[in-house]
Amino acid sequence: MAIMEDSLPAIKSFLPNTQVSAHFRSMLLRFLIAILTRHGRNSCMSAASAIEGKPRHRAQPGRFLKRYRQAIADLLAAITLKMLRDQDWNGRYLLLLDSTLVATAGQTIENTFSTGNSKRRPAKNRRYTKYKYQRKSCHCFVFALLLPPDGLRVPMWLPYYTKPYAKAHKIKHRTQAQLAAQLICDAQVPAGIELTCARRHRI
């Protein structure tokens, strides 16, 4: 893993030529390595230890995401536009929509909600045994994947904010269906190009 930072300069050149610090590019490189080389769910710990020989504290990636949230969003938008600008706009384009739930066991994490069925049901026996369990909640994201005829995959996403979180932060609350409609409108497809949208039943 240590040789990746020096032997794969194409990863750095993948980023647009923007005015960002060396720390910003280095941290993005850690996230890219963690995503490309790790199977399953990633974490800040994965990004912090992605480059062998140059570990960082596991809290640094989290602080980086919070501090540079808007800069990362702008960078992803610039990369998306760059990818789409090189496209030959001929043929049918497919836009896949889906909502993804990320479960967490924390009780004080912001912008989470529970999808469990809380309806009380009659007991089937008289033991009344109470099992202790950790209540889980989840974050929700609405994703869209644009598939051009040449096989390029262009991802887009929007976070779902719960009503209490949106009210506390003075953010307009939108349902998952409204977020999916926003992603369809934001798809960078020129006029006259046929776009087919597919969605799952829960959107």
Side-chain angles (χ1 to χ4, degrees), residues 13 33 35 39 61 73 97 104 108 128 171 173 181 184 200:
S13 63
I33 295 174
I35 293 172
H39 296 284
L97 298 168
T104 177
T108 59
Y128 303 108
I171 303 173
H173 172 74
I184 295 175
R200 300 186 66 176

Short mmCIF file of all heavy atoms in Angstrom, two decimals, residues 13 33 35 39 61 73 97 104 108 128 171 173 181 184 200:
data_model
loop_
_atom_site.label_atom_id
_atom_site.label_comp_id
_atom_site.label_asym_id
_atom_site.label_seq_id
_atom_site.Cartn_x
_atom_site.Cartn_y
_atom_site.Cartn_z
N SER A 13 -3.72 12.63 -10.99
CA SER A 13 -4.10 13.37 -12.19
C SER A 13 -5.58 13.24 -12.50
O SER A 13 -6.11 13.98 -13.33
CB SER A 13 -3.27 12.89 -13.38
OG SER A 13 -3.55 11.52 -13.65
N ILE A 33 -7.97 5.11 -2.11
CA ILE A 33 -7.29 3.83 -1.89
C ILE A 33 -8.15 2.90 -1.04
O ILE A 33 -8.28 1.71 -1.32
CB ILE A 33 -5.91 4.07 -1.23
CG1 ILE A 33 -4.99 4.82 -2.18
CG2 ILE A 33 -5.28 2.74 -0.83
CD1 ILE A 33 -3.67 5.21 -1.56
N ILE A 35 -11.41 2.86 -0.73
CA ILE A 35 -12.59 2.39 -1.46
C ILE A 35 -12.21 1.35 -2.50
O ILE A 35 -12.92 0.35 -2.70
CB ILE A 35 -13.29 3.59 -2.12
CG1 ILE A 35 -13.88 4.50 -1.04
CG2 ILE A 35 -14.38 3.12 -3.08
CD1 ILE A 35 -14.44 5.79 -1.57
N HIS A 39 -13.07 -4.44 0.62
CA HIS A 39 -14.39 -4.98 0.35
C HIS A 39 -15.29 -4.78 1.57
O HIS A 39 -14.84 -4.87 2.71
CB HIS A 39 -14.31 -6.46 0.00
CG HIS A 39 -13.54 -6.74 -1.25
ND1 HIS A 39 -14.05 -6.53 -2.51
CD2 HIS A 39 -12.27 -7.20 -1.43
CE1 HIS A 39 -13.14 -6.86 -3.41
NE2 HIS A 39 -12.06 -7.27 -2.79
N PRO A 61 -9.90 11.73 9.22
CA PRO A 61 -10.81 11.69 8.08
C PRO A 61 -12.20 12.25 8.38
O PRO A 61 -12.80 12.91 7.54
CB PRO A 61 -10.87 10.20 7.74
CG PRO A 61 -9.59 9.63 8.24
CD PRO A 61 -9.30 10.40 9.49
N ALA A 73 -18.00 18.41 -2.32
CA ALA A 73 -19.16 18.37 -3.21
C ALA A 73 -18.86 19.09 -4.52
O ALA A 73 -19.23 18.62 -5.61
CB ALA A 73 -20.37 19.00 -2.51
N LEU A 97 -32.23 4.62 -10.15
CA LEU A 97 -32.50 5.31 -8.89
C LEU A 97 -32.70 4.29 -7.77
O LEU A 97 -33.32 3.24 -7.98
CB LEU A 97 -33.74 6.19 -9.00
CG LEU A 97 -33.67 7.32 -10.03
CD1 LEU A 97 -35.04 7.91 -10.26
CD2 LEU A 97 -32.70 8.39 -9.58
N THR A 104 -26.92 2.13 11.96
CA THR A 104 -25.99 2.49 13.02
C THR A 104 -26.66 2.19 14.36
O THR A 104 -27.89 2.25 14.48
CB THR A 104 -25.59 3.97 12.96
OG1 THR A 104 -24.75 4.30 14.06
CG2 THR A 104 -26.82 4.87 12.99
N THR A 108 -27.24 8.81 19.81
CA THR A 108 -27.18 10.27 19.78
C THR A 108 -26.71 10.79 18.43
O THR A 108 -26.37 11.96 18.31
CB THR A 108 -26.23 10.77 20.88
OG1 THR A 108 -24.91 10.21 20.68
CG2 THR A 108 -26.73 10.37 22.25
N TYR A 128 -42.92 -13.89 29.66
CA TYR A 128 -42.65 -12.45 29.62
C TYR A 128 -41.16 -12.16 29.74
O TYR A 128 -40.73 -11.27 30.46
CB TYR A 128 -43.41 -11.73 30.73
CG TYR A 128 -44.90 -11.94 30.68
CD1 TYR A 128 -45.52 -12.74 31.63
CD2 TYR A 128 -45.66 -11.35 29.68
CE1 TYR A 128 -46.89 -12.95 31.57
CE2 TYR A 128 -47.03 -11.55 29.62
CZ TYR A 128 -47.64 -12.36 30.57
OH TYR A 128 -48.99 -12.57 30.52
N ILE A 171 -33.41 23.55 7.14
CA ILE A 171 -33.27 22.96 5.81
C ILE A 171 -34.66 22.51 5.35
O ILE A 171 -35.44 21.99 6.15
CB ILE A 171 -32.31 21.76 5.83
CG1 ILE A 171 -30.95 22.18 6.36
CG2 ILE A 171 -32.16 21.16 4.44
CD1 ILE A 171 -30.00 21.02 6.57
N HIS A 173 -37.35 20.23 4.17
CA HIS A 173 -37.52 18.78 4.20
C HIS A 173 -38.09 18.29 2.88
O HIS A 173 -39.07 18.84 2.36
CB HIS A 173 -38.46 18.38 5.34
CG HIS A 173 -38.83 16.93 5.32
ND1 HIS A 173 -37.96 15.93 5.69
CD2 HIS A 173 -39.99 16.31 4.96
CE1 HIS A 173 -38.55 14.76 5.57
NE2 HIS A 173 -39.79 14.96 5.13
N ALA A 181 -36.64 12.85 -7.79
CA ALA A 181 -37.02 13.75 -8.88
C ALA A 181 -35.95 14.83 -9.10
O ALA A 181 -35.67 15.21 -10.25
CB ALA A 181 -38.37 14.40 -8.57
N ILE A 184 -33.13 13.37 -11.10
CA ILE A 184 -33.50 13.25 -12.51
C ILE A 184 -33.32 14.60 -13.21
O ILE A 184 -32.79 14.69 -14.32
CB ILE A 184 -34.94 12.74 -12.66
CG1 ILE A 184 -35.04 11.31 -12.11
CG2 ILE A 184 -35.38 12.77 -14.12
CD1 ILE A 184 -36.46 10.76 -12.10
N ARG A 200 -36.72 1.63 -7.97
CA ARG A 200 -37.24 0.55 -7.15
C ARG A 200 -38.51 1.03 -6.46
O ARG A 200 -38.77 2.21 -6.34
CB ARG A 200 -36.20 0.10 -6.13
CG ARG A 200 -34.91 -0.40 -6.79
CD ARG A 200 -33.96 -0.97 -5.78
NE ARG A 200 -34.49 -2.19 -5.18
CZ ARG A 200 -33.83 -2.92 -4.32
NH1 ARG A 200 -32.60 -2.57 -3.96
NH2 ARG A 200 -34.37 -4.01 -3.79
#
